[in-house]
Amino acid sequence: MNIRAIATTFFILLSVNVLAQNKRIRISGNVRDADGNPVDLVAVQVKNTFIGAITNEEGFYSLSTAPGDSIVLLFSCIGYNKAERIIPHASQDIRVNVQMNYTSLELSEVTVTSTRRQTTTMETIDADRLKILPDPSGGNIESLVVTYAGVSSSNELSSQYSVRGGSYDENIVYVNGMEVFRPLLIRSGEQEGLSFINPNMTEEVRFSAGGFEARYGDKMSSVLDISYKQPKAFEASASASLLGASAYAGSSAGKFSQITGFRYKTSRSLLGTMDTEAEYDPVFIDFQTYMTYRLTPKWEIHFLGNASSNNYRFIPQIRETKFGTVNNPQTFTVFFDGKERDKFETLFGALMLKHQLNERTEIGLQASAFRSREEESYDITSTYRMDIAATDEVEDAFQSLSLAYFHQHARNRLLANVGHAGLYGESHIRSNHTLKYGTNIQMEQIADKISEWEKRDSAGYSLPQTGTSVNVISNLFSDNKLNSSRFSAYLQDVFKFRTPQGLFTLVGGVRGSYWTYNQETIISPRLSLGFIPNKNQDLTFRFATGFYYQPPFYKELRVETTDEDGNNRIQLNDRLKSQRSIHLIAGGDYTFHAVSRNFKFSTELYYKKLDNINPYTVDNVKIRYYGENCAKGYIAGLDMKLFGEFVPGTDSWLSLSLMKSEQVIRETTKAPLPNSQAFNLSFYFQDYFPGYKRVMLNLKAVVAGGFPVTVPNKGYEAGYRRTPPYRRADIGLTYQLASEENMPTGRFFDHFKNIWLGIDAFNLFDIRNTVSYYWITDVYNQQYAVPNYLTGRQLNVRLSVDF
């Protein structure tokens, strides 16, 4: 072999060696916990190197390294046991999926688990608690949400809630990425049936009380993000109680999976505890199904369907309400004739097509349609009297304050159709960037007809008494149609990085939208930053800010005008602009170990600057807007929550919210926001019999400040008063009759997994909470506020079975 051949061979071998050294392989995968949920913030490192990555919100990671005979991956995350995976003969791209188990401390028969870290304003709620939660609404997700800091509800008959002083309309709800809607005409909790969300079908609940990401829509207060299950095997459950019944079944066969649920609710027994004796006949029915079919390994199609019918029939007979003070007791007695019949029917369907372009990018196409047909009809006449009641000292000291007759009439109809189509995508750039983007179009058609009036007669005089004419005390007429389109788009990046000081999570994005009706364009930038310091990883800090807008939908557009005959008619204000709220939120968590148990203390301080406010008043759950941007204001507050094992092996929490708000209407009238409460203290507690965990005790309690209320059909310019504090405790005792370990033998019991029997005591202390006022006007135009009380104490029995 000559020198040239030797040199050629040497350079060939050197080139092969260099190429081998430059070759890289990609290792990627997903990290999940023992329950199958994705785990973010997991540090993935190639052992004995500086090569690593951090999992994103979906638990996904990706890194590149040189091939080798054996590569060792280390997985570590606060609150979880470390994991190690060995990859022998790593010569090409490979996926490595890992399950991480919670860090645990054994205490005899009890296992204590760590809590997950929260680096954004979005927190996760355990929906499984609803199975044993004492809930007069019949098992709504919202009944668990209202126990969290910053969330309030002072009406156990309603699934609506207020977040940090915002209105019920300022909360956006998603189910599997699709926004869902609620009926528009509902004016009282008695009319409400079931919320859209079926808790039996729910897998994950995520909630943010403010400062949420740009991918979520244009609302000013909160977002509730629900994910339904995709069963891996057959599962089913059925339950029944005095409030109704529900059942669901899920299955999986090859490429297809489905889960279907049915719910029936009747609140007849609960409504029977109210002051008004009547024939209550509320029937609420809901059917939902969620189906998934994997067309190919990279293509999936999803369908979500819902049909619900809420029927409320009410024939009042007599009402007697006692109120006032010890020194000035009063009674309000009403004899009724007539009836009310309301009907709310909704249909919803959504189709989603998902495509996995590669291991880093997923895109999807969404389309949905929503239809709501609402009818409200009543003709009720009554005779009432209000008296100063007798006292123990003077039993016959009975003085009549007002004796009158009234007639209430309504024939209201509303038809709403909403169509939606959108495209979304998610791309993982490198190992620490997650880019999310999307665009949507929404078309709306609404037809609204209102014809309602109320006539009152006091001492033979028609009210209001003018001396020259006969009048009704109030009326309202409407015949409006709205056809419009909305366009929106968003772009955001989730960036996670480590420094010598600790781990940072930065989420920044922008959202834009345009509405054809008022020809308004809004731009909404949003930013949040989370930090876990290396010096003390029991601490988590977060900050969020952004511009949040509330575009009008339909109710906000309505403006009442009075014609020359004194009739009030509704017109739509096409110049109404979006309300704006600038969020500033700073908070953090501290996880600690005390008395051999895990705890987490969370706190958030927030300030919301409000502009272009469209003021509104609240009567029960009915919101009536001014219909114009004529106010500005602010909301500031502090939310605190202590979460942990008050009893070993169970999760409980205590939440406290303090808040102050103010709005200035037309630069002259100062008033608090309608849903602002000075304080809200809520408590959720679990316990079990020592050594016998089959018997569980659940207690839900709330004490909250009163809401400001106004005289009907008048705004804050006429003054306001606050309702008394809302105080309520619901308690439930649940006994596990049988489980898979101790199920009775026999063919019949072979199909069961668990059987639960429970008894609940709603409003344990029988406190009469005020939801609104009925305003009495005498012939001298003197007004009296008679409280409308909510439900009293009520027992409930429930039975649930898992298959």
Side-chain angles (χ1 to χ4, degrees):
M1 182 178 294
N2 56 28
I3 296 177
R4 178 178 296 178
I6 294 173
T8 302
T9 304
F10 172 77
F11 281 112
I12 291 175
L13 293 175
L14 179 63
S15 299
V16 170
N17 185 54
V18 170
L19 289 173
Q21 290 180 357
N22 290 335
K23 181 182 178 182
R24 311 287 287 182
I25 63 171
R26 182 167 301 280
I27 303 174
S28 61
N30 291 90
V31 180
R32 297 185 177 274
D33 61 21
D35 300 322
N37 300 313
V39 182
D40 61 350
L41 303 179
V42 176
V44 185
Q45 182 184 7
V46 178
K47 191 173 183 179
N48 298 325
T49 73
F50 294 102
I51 299 172
I54 301 172
T55 58
N56 61 17
E57 294 173 320
E58 283 73 35
F60 177 81
Y61 73 93
S62 178
L63 56 86
S64 61
T65 185
D69 292 336
S70 179
I71 293 177
V72 180
L73 293 182
L74 301 177
F75 297 81
S76 62
C77 182
I78 300 172
Y80 296 87
N81 293 324
K82 293 182 178 181
E84 182 178 298
R85 294 293 183 271
I86 300 175
I87 307 173
H89 310 297
S91 58
Q92 58 185 357
D93 293 352
I94 188 172
R95 289 186 66 87
V96 179
N97 298 325
V98 175
Q99 174 181 304
M100 297 191 70
N101 297 317
Y102 296 110
T103 303
S104 62
L105 174 66
E106 298 294 332
L107 297 175
S108 63
E109 298 180 359
V110 178
T111 301
V112 179
T113 59
S114 298
T115 56
R116 297 183 65 182
R117 309 307 297 270
Q118 180 187 340
T119 56
T120 67
T121 61
M122 186 72 74
E123 59 182 320
T124 302
I125 299 175
D126 185 2
D128 289 337
R129 303 184 195 279
L130 284 171
K131 294 181 179 180
I132 52 178
L133 181 72
D135 179 20
S137 68
N140 289 333
I141 290 287
E142 293 85 348
S143 63
L144 194 61
V145 172
V146 299
T147 64
Y148 275 59
V151 188
S152 63
S153 173
S154 294
N155 189 340
E156 65 271 9
L157 295 173
S158 172
S159 62
Q160 302 192 54
Y161 53 91
S162 170
V163 179
R164 292 177 175 170
S167 79
Y168 308 133
D169 295 331
E170 294 177 15
N171 307 313
I172 192 168
V173 179
Y174 288 91
V175 174
N176 284 54
M178 305 299 299
E179 182 181 357
V180 297
F181 304 88
R182 66 172 70 244
L184 300 177
L185 283 184
I186 286 179
R187 56 185 168 80
S188 69
E190 294 92 316
Q191 293 174 307
E192 279 200 39
L194 296 154
S195 75
F196 182 94
I197 307 165
N198 188 328
N200 294 326
M201 300 169 61
T202 300
E203 181 176 51
E204 185 179 31
V205 182
R206 304 175 75 233
F207 176 76
S208 173
F212 43 89
E213 301 169 5
R215 64 190 174 111
Y216 295 114
D218 293 305
K219 296 287 186 179
M220 289 201 306
S221 287
S222 76
V223 58
L224 181 61
D225 191 1
I226 306 295
S227 296
Y228 277 176
K229 301 175 182 177
Q230 294 186 38
K232 301 296 188 297
F234 176 79
E235 60 179 76
S237 177
S239 64
S241 74
L242 298 180
L243 299 177
S246 66
Y248 88 95
S251 61
S252 178
K255 300 179 179 181
F256 176 76
S257 69
Q258 66 82 31
I259 185 167
T260 301
F262 172 82
R263 291 180 293 167
Y264 163 78
K265 176 186 173 182
T266 175
S267 52
R268 183 181 306 164
S269 61
L270 195 62
L271 296 176
T273 65
M274 303 177 73
D275 281 349
T276 301
E277 295 182 14
E279 294 182 17
Y280 294 100
D281 187 20
V283 177
F284 311 117
I285 297 175
D286 175 89
F287 174 84
Q288 290 190 44
T289 186
Y290 177 55
M291 303 178 183
T292 302
Y293 184 74
R294 184 175 292 274
L295 301 169
T296 69
K298 292 189 176 183
W299 288 91
E300 268 187 6
I301 188 169
H302 303 254
F303 172 75
L304 174 64
N306 168 254
S308 67
S309 175
N310 294 357
N311 289 277
Y312 177 71
R313 298 179 181 87
F314 172 57
I315 304 176
Q317 297 168 351
I318 187 174
R319 166 182 173 174
E320 183 177 43
T321 301
K322 297 180 180 180
F323 63 104
T325 63
V326 175
N327 296 324
N328 185 28
Q330 299 176 28
T331 60
F332 178 62
T333 307
V334 189
F335 299 93
F336 296 96
D337 188 22
K339 62 181 179 180
E340 176 179 352
R341 182 182 180 277
D342 307 323
K343 191 173 185 179
F344 306 91
E345 294 180 340
T346 60
L347 296 172
F348 178 82
L351 197 65
M352 180 185 297
L353 183 64
K354 289 183 179 182
H355 177 53
Q356 193 77 35
L357 285 175
N358 50 54
E359 65 177 13
R360 290 178 171 269
T361 301
E362 177 186 278
I363 60 173
L365 182 65
Q366 300 172 329
S368 68
F370 170 79
R371 180 180 179 87
S372 179
R373 182 184 296 273
E374 307 174 29
E375 301 177 3
E376 185 180 45
S377 303
Y378 55 82
D379 266 297
I380 298 176
T381 61
S382 63
T383 301
Y384 69 81
R385 62 179 296 165
M386 191 169 69
D387 308 290
I388 297 178
T391 63
D392 294 336
E393 290 78 12
V394 186
E395 295 185 359
D396 58 349
F398 215 80
Q399 179 183 349
S400 179
L401 297 175
S402 179
L403 179 65
Y405 162 90
F406 68 83
H407 184 182
Q408 295 173 309
H409 168 91
R411 294 292 185 273
N412 301 330
R413 304 289 186 271
L414 185 140
L415 178 64
N417 293 299
V418 179
H420 170 271
L423 178 68
Y424 79 92
E426 181 175 314
S427 299
H428 302 287
I429 304 174
R430 301 174 187 171
S431 61
N432 52 356
H433 281 276
T434 302
L435 199 65
K436 299 181 181 181
Y437 41 89
T439 182
N440 301 276
I441 180 174
Q442 181 170 293
M443 294 158 287
E444 302 154 0
Q445 295 180 340
I446 300 175
D448 180 25
K449 289 188 176 183
I450 294 178
S451 175
E452 62 181 50
W453 49 263
E454 181 177 348
K455 180 181 180 297
R456 293 190 190 179
D457 181 289
S458 179
Y461 293 91
S462 176
L463 300 178
Q465 173 60 26
T466 63
T468 58
S469 61
V470 177
N471 301 293
V472 294
I473 198 167
S474 66
N475 62 19
L476 189 63
F477 301 96
S478 171
D479 189 359
N480 291 299
K481 293 183 179 180
L482 176 65
N483 294 283
S484 63
S485 299
R486 301 177 194 262
F487 304 88
S488 64
Y490 69 89
L491 174 66
Q492 77 171 44
D493 182 26
V494 180
F495 178 41
K496 298 180 181 180
F497 59 96
R498 286 188 181 272
T499 69
Q501 289 72 37
L503 174 65
F504 290 86
T505 301
L506 179 65
V507 183
V510 63
R511 182 178 189 88
S513 65
Y514 174 78
W515 193 26
T516 59
Y517 185 74
N518 63 0
Q519 299 181 354
E520 179 188 31
T521 300
I522 56 177
I523 303 297
S524 174
R526 305 173 187 179
L527 177 72
S528 70
L529 177 66
F531 173 58
I532 302 177
N534 283 334
K535 289 186 177 180
N536 188 350
Q537 297 190 357
D538 291 329
L539 292 172
T540 302
F541 300 96
R542 53 184 174 270
F543 171 79
T545 186
F547 288 70
Y548 293 84
Y549 290 88
Q550 182 83 18
F553 184 69
Y554 177 72
K555 291 188 299 183
E556 300 92 330
L557 299 170
R558 301 195 295 192
V559 180
E560 294 184 22
T561 60
T562 305
D563 61 22
E564 57 185 9
D565 297 323
N567 295 316
N568 297 315
R569 299 188 179 277
I570 291 179
Q571 295 181 347
L572 302 183
N573 181 7
D574 60 0
R575 293 179 296 177
L576 184 71
K577 301 302 181 181
S578 299
Q579 303 178 79
R580 187 181 71 174
S581 175
I582 302 176
H583 290 196
L584 291 170
I585 301 171
D589 303 327
Y590 173 56
T591 58
F592 60 97
H593 201 64
V595 292
S596 302
R597 306 168 199 169
N598 289 318
F599 292 90
K600 182 174 76 169
F601 177 73
S602 303
T603 182
E604 285 190 349
L605 184 68
Y606 63 90
Y607 177 83
K608 299 196 287 188
K609 184 179 183 298
L610 308 176
D611 300 301
N612 287 336
I613 296 177
N614 182 1
Y616 63 93
T617 59
V618 178
D619 183 12
N620 202 307
V621 297
K622 183 176 182 178
I623 297 177
R624 179 164 289 184
Y625 290 91
Y626 279 46
E628 53 182 312
N629 303 112
C630 60
K632 60 183 179 180
Y634 73 89
I635 303 174
L638 174 67
D639 293 336
M640 295 174 286
K641 177 183 174 184
L642 178 63
F643 177 93
E645 298 174 271
F646 296 5
V647 174
T650 66
D651 290 331
S652 304
W653 58 85
L654 175 69
S655 301
L656 174 63
S657 299
L658 305 174
M659 177 171 51
K660 179 177 174 56
S661 71
E662 183 179 88
Q663 60 179 337
V664 181
I665 304 173
R666 299 193 176 101
E667 299 184 353
T668 58
T669 303
K670 289 186 177 181
L673 273 295
N675 280 315
S676 64
Q677 296 170 296
F679 67 93
N680 189 312
L681 177 66
S682 59
F683 183 46
Y684 177 75
F685 176 75
Q686 291 187 77
D687 196 1
Y688 59 90
F689 279 80
Y692 196 68
K693 297 182 64 175
R694 292 170 61 184
V695 179
M696 291 287 297
L697 176 72
N698 289 267
L699 173 66
K700 185 179 73 170
V702 60
V703 178
F707 289 105
V709 295
T710 62
V711 177
N713 306 314
K714 294 185 179 180
Y716 288 95
E717 296 84 348
Y720 68 91
R721 65 183 296 171
R722 281 191 179 269
T723 61
Y726 182 83
R727 299 161 296 164
R728 184 181 177 91
D730 300 320
I731 191 169
L733 189 67
T734 305
Y735 174 60
Q736 188 177 28
L737 294 174
S739 64
E740 288 185 289
E741 291 77 17
N742 57 13
M743 189 70 64
T745 58
R747 287 187 177 181
F748 177 77
F749 294 101
D750 289 343
H751 304 287
F752 300 111
K753 290 183 178 179
N754 296 288
I755 303 176
W756 296 87
L757 177 66
I759 183 169
D760 304 318
F762 302 139
N763 197 356
L764 179 64
F765 302 108
D766 200 25
I767 298 173
R768 311 297 283 180
N769 290 301
T770 301
V771 65
S772 61
Y773 291 94
Y774 189 85
W775 294 86
I776 301 299
T777 306
D778 62 18
V779 69
Y780 304 107
N781 284 329
Q782 177 72 33
Q783 290 189 321
Y784 303 92
V786 180
N788 294 317
Y789 292 126
L790 287 164
T791 59
R793 184 189 294 120
Q794 174 71 20
L795 294 178
N796 179 52
V797 179
R798 50 190 165 82
L799 176 68
S800 61
V801 179
D802 296 331
F803 300 94

